[in-house]
Amino acid sequence: MTITDPPPAPAWRHLLAEFLGTALLVAIVVGSGVMASRLSPDDVGVQLLENSIATALGLAVLILLFAPLTGAHFNPVVSLAESLTTRGAGRALALGYIPAQVLGAIGGALLANAMFGIAPAIATTERVTAGTLLGEVVATAGLLLLILGLSRAGRPSAIIAPAVGAYIGAAYWFTSSTSFANPAVTIGRVFSDTFAGISPLSALAFVAAQLVGAAVGFAVATLLFPRPTIAR
């Protein structure tokens, strides 16, 4: 999820890293949600606490692992932001991350289902209200502002990783939507009818709200932390 200048490597290695990183992220989100619902079946608040802690910690670890190679985007809105500040091969590679992230997210949901012996199924949980859509705008705008602000300020991955993890962990609780804030993860969660699942129509609305939030976050970050376009 950081925007960095990773060392040269074959494009397939970058794409594989984004696929694996996003797959593991969704496996953490979905798997911890299933475990939480089994361990604390009568207390949704405790379930959310367990899910949010696992997600925050897991996300920070994944960023530390993959940031040296790809910048650890794991999120199409981060890759879109990267594409807007690079040219040539760098822009093409950032855009290429997006299908890898979506496929990885779907794979991660299916992996979590398999680990817990859950048959693959499309989620039926409806999550759309005016409040949850606003929550997704806020969550995504804040996430992108955080990532762009820290990376443009020259903060290392060792700082960005826990900061992003902490933000997502907090946003589980201060947003009405529990902070999906990621189109790829949202799509992946459609493929698990569990605690973390989201119905296809709700996912479509959430992704639209996330794109609005991304535009807001990018605009604010550009005003506060200007960075010239980079040619690669």
Side-chain angles (χ1 to χ4, degrees), residues 15-202:
L15 297 175
L16 179 59
E18 284 294 307
F19 173 88
L20 291 175
T22 312
L24 290 171
L25 174 59
V26 174
I28 290 168
V29 173
V30 174
S32 63
V34 174
M35 182 64 81
S37 65
R38 292 181 179 180
L39 292 175
S40 309
D42 300 320
D43 194 327
V44 177
V46 173
Q47 292 174 13
L48 187 62
L49 178 62
E50 293 162 345
N51 188 217
S52 64
I53 291 173
T55 300
L57 295 176
L59 176 57
V61 169
L62 291 173
I63 293 173
L64 287 172
L65 175 61
F66 289 104
L69 181 59
T70 70
H73 294 191
F74 312 148
N75 189 332
V77 301
V78 177
S79 298
L80 284 172
E82 173 83 346
S83 74
L84 293 176
T85 55
T86 59
R87 293 176 179 168
R91 173 175 292 174
L93 185 60
L95 293 174
Y97 286 171
I98 296 174
Q101 293 158 356
V102 172
L103 291 174
I106 295 171
L110 296 177
L111 175 60
N113 288 343
M115 286 192 293
F116 287 93
I118 299 171
I122 298 300
T124 56
T125 304
E126 300 292 343
R127 296 181 181 267
V128 172
T129 67
T132 57
L133 294 180
L134 178 58
E136 280 303 289
V137 172
V138 171
T140 310
L143 176 63
L144 196 57
L145 175 60
L146 173 67
I147 293 169
L148 291 174
L150 291 178
S151 62
R152 291 179 179 182
R155 302 300 186 219
S157 296
I159 296 296
I160 296 175
V164 171
Y167 174 83
I168 291 297
Y172 257 82
W173 292 91
F174 78 75
T175 64
S176 55
S177 62
T178 67
S179 184
F180 282 51
N182 184 325
V185 169
T186 303
I187 293 170
R189 289 168 67 166
V190 169
F191 292 84
S192 183
D193 194 16
T194 60
F195 177 83
I198 180 172
S199 71
L201 289 179
S202 292

